[in-house]
Amino acid sequence: MNEIIEKFAAHFGKAPLAVGKAPGRLEILGNHTDYNEGFVLSAAVSQNTEFAILPVEGNRCRLLDLKRDNKVEFSLDDIENPVPGSWANYIKGVISRLAKRGIAVSAFDGAVMSTVPISAGMSSSAALEISFCYALKDAFGIDLPPTEWARVGQEVENEYLGLKSGLLDQFSSIFGREHELILSDFRSNEVMRTVKMPSDYLLIVANSMIKHNLVDSEYNNRRRDCEAAAAKIAASEPSVKTLRDVSTAMLEQYRELMTPREYRRACHVVGENERVFQAVEYLDHGRINEFGQLLFESHRSSIENFENSCPELDYLIELAQSIPGCAGARLSGGGFGGISIHLVEKSNADDYCRRLSTGFKIRTGLEPEIIRCTIGAGATSRKL
Ligand code: GLA
C-alpha cells in the first residue's frame, strides 16, 4: 500500500486517511448459478485495486486514476446520474446506494491504483467498488457486515448501471482466501468451505479479446429465461423457488412446460450446480484430470445450452484440448467474449502459453492477453 500512499500525497499535498484494497476474481466453476441462488467455486486473484481516501471540506469529490493518469471531479449533489462510460460511476454508485441505506458520505479526495486487467472478465469493476467501500469503511467508520458491502457493490451494477448480475464478483473479492478456492452458496450467501488447488497446477487466463456490445442485454435475457423456467416448474412444485431447487430429473419431468430455450438455459444452470459439487469431490481426492473434464463439460454446456460463448472462446478451448499439459478449460464469467481459464501443469506452463498464443493468433489474427494467476486473499483496509 506504500506506493499509493506516496503518490496520493504527492498529488493532493496530504497523506490519505485510509486505503482499501480488493482483488479481482476468477469463476472456476458454476456459471450463471449465482443469481439462481446456486453454488460457485471461485477464487480471488493476486491482482488488486487499491483506493486511497482523504475526507475534505465542501461537497466536491476529486478522483485520480494513478495508472491511467485520469482525473474526474463530481459534486455530491449530483451522484444520481451515471455518466455513460465513466469509471467514476462505480464510485458515485456506491455513494448513492449507501445514501439509500441512510448512510451519508462527505466530500473526499480519492486515488485509485489497480493491477486488475480492465474488461477482461476478472471483475475489475467489483474490485473498484469493493476497494472504495473498504476505504470508506475505515475513513468514515461505516460499520456494515462484509456480505452487505458485497450487496452495495451488486446494487451499483443492478440498480445504478442496469446489469442484473448476481453477487459472485463482489462476494469473491471480499471472501477470497489465499492459495484456496472458495465454495459459496448464493442462497445463504455464505462460504461453505475452502478447497485446495492442486499444487502442481496453475490457473492461466486467456482473454479472447472479444467484447460484444450487447453483453448487458444478453446477460439480462439469460437471467429472465432462468427465472421463467423456475417459475414454470414452481407452479407444480411449490418447494421450488429458483433453479437451485431443481434437479436434472425434475427438469426432465417438467420439460414440456418450458419453451425449448428456457429448458436449455435451465439445463446449463442445473448442470453447473451438479458439476460444482462433483468438482469439489474430485479436487479433494486429487483427481485432477476428472476435475478438468468438468471444466470442458461446462464449456460445452455454455455452447449448447446457455449460448454465452463465441467462436474465439471456443477456439481457445479447442486449443486447450490439443496442447499437452492442460487438464481442463472453459469460459469464465458472464461470457459472450471475455476470458477463458485453463488448468495447466506448472512444468508445462511456458510451452503451453506460447503454443496457445501462437495458435490463437494464426486463426483469429488477435493477440490474446495471457495471464498466469495466483490465488490471492480477499479485501482488506487500513486506517493510517
Ligand atoms: C458475471 C456476473 C456474476 C455471474 C457471472 C456468471 O461475472 O457479474 O454475477 O453471474 O457473470 O457466472
Side-chain angles (χ1 to χ4, degrees), residues 103-163:
I103 300 169
V105 169
S106 57
F108 58 85
D109 287 337
V112 182
M113 210 165 76
S114 182
T115 53
V116 185
I118 291 175
S119 303
M122 290 169 75
S123 294
S124 56
S125 61
L128 176 57
E129 289 153 7
I130 300 302
S131 66
F132 177 53
C133 285
Y134 271 45
L136 285 179
K137 175 167 90 118
D138 278 15
F140 294 101
I142 303 170
D143 187 22
L144 289 177
T147 312
E148 196 57 22
W149 282 116
R151 279 210 196 87
V152 169
Q154 184 194 17
E155 286 172 17
V156 173
E157 309 283 345
N158 289 182
E159 299 167 10
Y160 196 77
L161 300 169
L163 174 70

Side-chain angles (χ1 to χ4, degrees), residues 52-65:
I53 191 167
L54 177 69
V56 298
E57 296 293 316
N59 73 345
R60 290 199 73 74
C61 299
R62 294 185 295 177
L63 294 177
L64 168 68
D65 178 343

Side-chain angles (χ1 to χ4, degrees), residues 167-193:
L167 198 61
L168 173 68
D169 307 347
Q170 294 81 6
F171 190 90
S172 307
S173 179
I174 290 175
F175 290 101
R177 298 270 191 87
E178 199 164 9
H179 306 309
E180 288 181 309
L181 309 181
I182 54 171
L183 169 65
S184 310
D185 175 344
F186 284 98
R187 171 162 283 163
S188 60
N189 292 328
E190 280 166 348
V191 175
M192 297 169 72
R193 53 167 288 193

Side-chain angles (χ1 to χ4, degrees), residues 31-32 35-36 218 221-222 225-230 233 243 246 248 251-252 254-272 275 297-298 300-309:
N31 189 237
H32 287 257
Y35 55 80
N36 291 297
E218 287 295 340
N221 288 342
R222 295 301 181 281
D225 282 341
C226 290
E227 287 166 356
I233 301 173
L243 289 180
V246 175
T248 303
L251 193 58
E252 291 311 315
Y254 294 109
R255 182 173 182 161
E256 298 310 319
L257 297 180
M258 288 166 255
T259 66
R261 195 183 69 202
E262 286 162 358
Y263 168 76
R264 282 185 290 116
R265 304 303 188 239
C267 274
H268 181 65
V269 173
V270 171
E272 286 292 281
R275 278 187 283 277
E297 267 177 43
S298 166
R300 213 168 305 125
S301 175
S302 271
I303 297 175
E304 290 166 9
N305 294 322
F306 217 66
E307 295 178 277
N308 63 333
S309 188

